[in-house]
Amino acid sequence: MGSAVPNGPRPVAVNPIVEMNGDEMTRIIWGLVKQRLIEPFVELKLESYDLHLPERDRTKDAVTHEAARAIRRHGVGVKCATITPDAARVKEYHLEKAWPSPNGTIRAALDGTVFRKPIAVRTIPPMVRSWTKPIIIGRHAYGDVYRNAEMKIPGPGQVEMSFHPASGGDAMTIVVHEFEGPGVVRGQHNLDGSIRAFAQACIQYALSERVDLWFAAKDTISKTYHASFKRIFAEEVEKRRADLDAAGVRYQYLLIDDAVARVMRHEGGFLWACRNYDGDLMSDMLASGFGSLGLMTSVLVSPDGKFEFEAAHGTVQRHYYQHLKGEPTSTNSTATIFAWTGALAKRGELDGTAELVHFAQALERSVIETIEAGVVTKDLAAIAEPRPAGHVTTAGFIEAIAERLASKMAAGAPR
Ligand code: NAP
Ligand code: MG
């Protein structure tokens, strides 16, 4: 599409955005969003990778690794939801094998932390009345129960845990338990470097969003393991004390049960840094508490400032099967659109192209105003206040946003 035509898409990009397409219903949405909400308005430089499951299978998953390297290179990516294959998917798609989760591959390549943030809409009241501002969850993505070693204990006997220094010298051994009968045992680990990178990423994100930072654990019980997390967070906060003070960002450590109780009475507007398992639970609780999975965005941030944006939900398989049967669907594309606007705004911010940032803001406003005007998908129709008369289809929702966006852009968004 070489030269820009009057009223046509405007070339606004300096550097590329890495685009990763995906699967099922979100793949349908991906195409509609690009075609109706992006391409008519802005001319981008996209470096595209297709993470569609058949394509991952054909390339023996090389395409996922290439995409991850591209994000490292260009600094900004936007990803569609993808299937993480299990045995049923291997059969359904005639796969060579159950390829690993693309999100896991990309997270490992970027050594990143995932932040999940609800999209606040006036007409979608959260389940918790006090939540008037978003609560962002930062989830540590390494270790603990996800990398544990566990054993079934068949009967009476002693379980020990020991460390053998690679440099030689005496081993350290402690008794875990003297079993008098059958039971189970589990060994967990984490790494100072990983915890530190997590703390740094959370501080960085709290500064960029200008929100307070919470970290919670149970160091009163776990006096070595949890206490190490607490100590490392405190050390990293001290290193950034001047920046935090200048930005008015406060840090506090809480016991996890105290944090859970306080969250339910808090107005929000903070980043809650969670250990791996806590983050798994709390992010799903907050997603449903704030209304819908369709209103939850997710961003992966690497310690050296690379960003990957996506919706927090999956490929919405059930709706896709309806779609394949020719039945109308009403899937919420909000989080997918916000993945795009997040990437556009970040690209614009890094490149110094204000026009791209303004476009991203105009698109976000168009989505929110559409929902607030009562034009909603089925998931929101049940919880919006005032209650809308009905709901629109997947494509109908995107069409309504496109109309609003077009009039906003015509009414003098800066050229
Ligand atoms: P899901 O795709 O998140 O959908 C679960 C249910 O949540 C849907 O059936 C739907 O409920 C509701 N939902 C989610 N997103 C919605 C939206 N945008 N609009 C309206 N309703 C929405 O989870 P899943 O069905 O368990 O997983 C499907 C596939 O996604 C799996 O293969 C999994 O591997 C993959 N997955 C990928 C990612 C990722 O790429 N980041 C994350 C999670 C899962 P109703 O059916 O009640 O309408
Ligand atoms: Mg989970």
Side-chain angles (χ1 to χ4, degrees):
M1 304 282 138
S3 62
V5 288
N7 305 319
R10 304 171 304 177
V12 289
V14 178
N15 290 301
I17 291 175
V18 179
E19 176 207 4
M20 289 152 282
N21 205 338
D23 293 302
E24 298 196 312
M25 203 57 209
T26 41
R27 187 179 180 87
I28 309 280
I29 286 174
W30 199 259
L32 289 171
V33 167
K34 274 184 74 179
Q35 190 197 336
R36 301 295 298 138
L37 303 179
I38 311 280
E39 286 166 356
F41 302 101
V42 284
E43 207 179 295
L44 300 169
K45 286 184 188 161
L46 295 177
E47 190 169 314
S48 300
Y49 294 85
D50 195 352
L51 305 190
H52 192 29
L53 186 50
E55 186 61 13
R56 279 181 273 149
D57 196 49
R58 191 186 68 78
T59 62
K60 300 191 187 300
D61 209 27
V63 65
T64 310
H65 293 270
E66 281 164 26
R69 280 195 294 275
I71 303 170
R72 288 219 66 83
R73 211 159 48 239
H74 299 302
V76 181
V78 58
K79 180 181 166 290
C80 178
T82 45
I83 293 169
T84 297
D86 54 13
R89 298 298 203 162
V90 170
K91 230 170 135 190
E92 180 183 358
Y93 283 85
H94 310 289
L95 303 178
E96 189 185 312
K97 61 180 245 194
W99 301 103
S101 149
N103 288 43
T105 301
I106 295 167
R107 209 181 295 151
L110 296 184
D111 186 21
T113 299
V114 176
F115 297 95
R116 277 178 152 205
K117 182 181 175 183
I119 299 158
V121 183
R122 235 179 346 101
T123 52
I124 311 294
M127 302 295 161
V128 177
R129 271 176 293 163
S130 62
W131 292 351
T132 54
K133 298 176 189 166
I135 298 169
I136 308 166
I137 294 278
R139 176 179 169 190
H140 187 206
Y142 183 83
D144 301 349
V145 65
Y146 302 90
R147 295 257 182 145
N148 68 11
E150 32 180 49
M151 208 196 295
K152 219 164 159 12
I153 303 300
Q158 175 170 297
V159 174
E160 293 175 349
M161 188 161 72
S162 47
F163 167 69
H164 301 272
S167 58
D170 293 344
M172 294 193 291
T173 299
I174 57 169
V175 173
V176 176
H177 194 65
E178 293 276 2
F179 283 85
E180 288 175 7
V184 282
V185 68
R186 159 168 110 187
Q188 296 191 11
H189 78 277
N190 222 300
L191 308 170
D192 281 11
S194 176
I195 301 167
R196 205 169 288 285
F198 172 57
Q200 288 164 352
C202 290
I203 293 166
Q204 195 59 47
Y205 197 68
L207 284 168
S208 79
E209 296 275 315
R210 292 193 172 252
V211 290
D212 286 346
L213 175 61
W214 292 18
F215 175 65
K218 192 77 175 178
D219 69 302
T220 45
I221 299 298
S222 175
K223 291 185 166 65
T224 304
Y225 198 106
H226 284 211
S228 290
F229 280 80
K230 180 184 178 182
R231 173 181 54 78
I232 291 170
F233 259 81
E235 287 168 4
E236 292 305 316
V237 163
E238 278 320 305
K239 286 185 199 159
R240 300 296 299 273
R241 179 58 70 194
D243 295 328
L244 292 164
D245 287 348
V249 171
R250 287 165 305 177
Y251 168 74
Q252 62 175 331
Y253 172 80
L254 300 140
L255 285 171
I256 185 86
D257 42 352
D258 184 26
V260 168
R262 279 178 198 231
V263 159
M264 303 310 274
R265 290 184 260 109
H266 205 278
E267 60 171 5
F270 61 93
L271 164 61
W272 185 3
C274 288
R275 298 175 59 252
N276 207 348
Y277 179 71
D278 301 341
D280 193 357
L281 271 54
M282 293 309 148
S283 58
D284 282 6
M285 185 196 73
L286 282 159
S288 91
F290 272 104
S292 165
L293 269 175
L295 292 181
M296 190 61 103
T297 61
S298 177
V299 53
L300 175 71
V301 183
S302 76
D304 57 345
K306 318 284 184 203
F307 294 79
E308 185 224 26
F309 297 84
E310 67 167 334
H313 59 77
T315 59
V316 210
Q317 179 183 18
R318 197 183 68 79
H319 296 203
Y320 181 60
Y321 288 169
Q322 279 180 345
H323 168 82
L324 288 181
K325 279 192 270 174
E327 292 168 15
T329 58
S330 184
T331 314
N332 189 348
S333 49
T334 301
T336 300
I337 298 169
F338 272 66
W340 274 96
T341 56
L344 298 176
K346 183 53 75 180
R347 185 76 277 167
E349 184 193 315
L350 295 176
D351 295 353
T353 46
E355 209 181 3
L356 193 51
V357 178
H358 289 148
F359 172 72
Q361 287 164 347
L363 178 48
E364 288 188 358
R365 284 306 316 156
S366 302
V367 175
I368 288 173
E369 285 168 15
T370 299
I371 299 172
E372 288 180 351
V375 180
V376 294
T377 44
K378 197 173 178 180
D379 55 320
L380 299 186
I383 55 172
E385 281 176 13
R387 210 55 98 222
H391 62 264
V392 291
T393 60
T394 307
F397 182 62
I398 292 169
E399 224 40 65
I401 296 164
E403 269 173 40
R404 216 170 258 275
L405 179 61
S407 60
K408 243 187 232 308
M409 297 306 279
R415 262 197 107 81

